[in-house]
Amino acid sequence: MNVPEITEMAIDAAYRTLKADAEKNGYRLNPDGDFVKNLIRGLLKNEQRYGYRACPCRLASGKKDEDLDIVCPCDYRDTDIEEYGACYCALYVNEAISTGKQKVAPIPERRPPRSERGKTRVVKIVSTTATPVFPLPVWRCKVCGYLCAREQPPGICPICKATKERFERFV
Amino acid sequence: MLYALSTCQWCHKTKVLLEELGIAFDYDYVDLLEGKEQDAALDEIERWNRSGSFPTLVIDNKRAIVGFREQEIREAFAA
């Protein structure tokens, strides 16, 4: 394969951007700089291979539609940080881990297995009152949970900067 | 047999640990396999680990350790 190497310079640049974005938005990167840089090398490698930054710790299909949930930051990051203190790769961590008070432990895979992917989870809301009718649809960012009521989801999530295709119709 | 991804840091740590323990093992970087070869590897991984995640370490075709579980891996080879 004749592909250019991922340079240290490219990794450093991506690291600075990710770190600044994370801190601005209330997230934290793993304090182990070498570990993070190796993860970023994987992210950049995947960007080179597939055209998007698929999770380095998961196998991407190469079809963006099928991989949207694992484009970093993935749909599972916030829930894993909440439950285990870190995202699946441990690129993003909670405060206790970022300050060295807690160690990262292996995180079980939350992404559905191959055979179950693409099947939308339907949550039935049981309500005794009539369903409210909203003048506008409500869109939810699958990465950070941001909600907004407007005709179309925003091009970029104003909270976490996820792209439009990461939004789902919520109400 | 270690099923790993070339981009995954937990896979890397697992491989380094096995080397450090002096274990003879084969490994596949499943992200570097293509088409049928990759599908066959995934089918095999899913036999041991339903979620199909990495790293999956299959020991003597008898049991599997999923993820970089250092203590568990050390114990498995401690005999």
Side-chain angles (χ1 to χ4, degrees):
Chain A
M1 272 195 289
N2 193 14
V3 283
E5 273 298 300
I6 309 284
T7 64
E8 290 301 317
M9 231 168 76
I11 294 171
D12 281 340
Y15 176 63
R16 283 194 299 272
T17 311
L18 276 184
K19 193 167 180 342
D21 282 349
E23 284 165 6
K24 200 166 69 195
N25 298 318
Y27 291 95
R28 297 170 187 84
L29 295 189
N30 193 310
D32 182 342
D34 287 339
F35 181 82
V36 169
K37 284 186 184 176
N38 282 326
L39 284 174
I40 292 175
R41 182 190 303 281
L43 278 175
L44 297 181
K45 191 91 216 163
N46 281 345
E47 187 170 40
Q48 196 178 60
R49 279 180 189 160
Y50 309 118
Y52 46 91
R53 291 186 183 184
C55 176
C57 302
R58 294 176 166 115
L59 183 65
S61 70
K63 294 174 199 134
K64 195 174 182 190
D65 286 356
E66 293 172 16
D67 291 339
L68 273 181
D69 62 323
I70 57 162
V71 174
C72 187
C74 67
D75 289 5
Y76 315 104
R77 173 184 64 173
D78 289 15
T79 326
D80 279 334
I81 294 177
E82 193 64 39
E83 193 169 340
Y84 301 104
C87 74
Y88 186 66
C89 292
L91 174 62
Y92 292 97
V93 300
N94 67 4
E95 193 188 354
I97 292 173
S98 84
T99 52
K101 287 183 199 127
Q102 189 191 327
K103 279 186 82 179
V104 181
I107 296 164
E109 175 60 296
R110 189 180 291 279
R111 189 185 199 210
R114 257 194 317 170
S115 56
E116 289 168 25
R117 275 175 219 154
K119 293 174 189 157
T120 36
R121 209 162 33 101
V122 179
V123 181
K124 197 153 184 164
I125 299 163
V126 182
S127 168
T128 48
T129 54
T131 318
V133 179
F134 295 110
L136 287 167
V138 176
W139 303 94
R140 175 181 178 273
C141 172
K142 288 200 256 185
V143 178
C144 73
Y146 165 73
L147 296 175
C148 60
R150 47 189 278 176
E151 292 295 351
Q152 289 293 321
I156 300 275
C157 173
I159 303 301
C160 75
K161 311 289 181 282
T163 50
K164 185 173 191 163
E165 67 243 23
R166 308 291 291 272
F167 277 79
E168 64 182 353
R169 177 85 186 258
F170 188 64
V171 176
Chain B
M1 178 72 201
L2 175 66
Y3 294 97
L5 298 176
S6 68
T7 52
C8 166
Q9 285 312 291
W10 300 106
C11 298
H12 177 70
K13 282 181 190 268
T14 306
K15 188 164 168 275
V16 169
L17 175 63
L18 292 173
E19 283 161 357
E20 183 195 308
L21 292 172
I23 311 295
F25 66 100
D26 290 322
Y27 67 93
D28 264 340
Y29 282 140
V30 180
D31 56 325
L32 303 181
L33 301 177
E34 284 174 8
K36 285 199 176 109
E37 265 189 345
Q38 191 181 72
D39 288 341
L42 287 174
D43 289 342
E44 180 60 22
I45 295 164
E46 284 168 359
R47 275 183 53 210
W48 297 96
N49 164 17
R50 202 180 151 268
S51 78
S53 62
F54 299 90
T56 294
L57 174 64
V58 179
I59 303 168
D60 296 334
N61 225 2
K62 285 192 188 111
R63 59 174 289 211
I65 297 177
V66 176
F68 177 63
R69 297 183 183 276
E70 181 172 356
Q71 202 51 39
E72 215 178 301
I73 295 170
R74 285 184 184 276
E75 281 165 17
F77 294 105

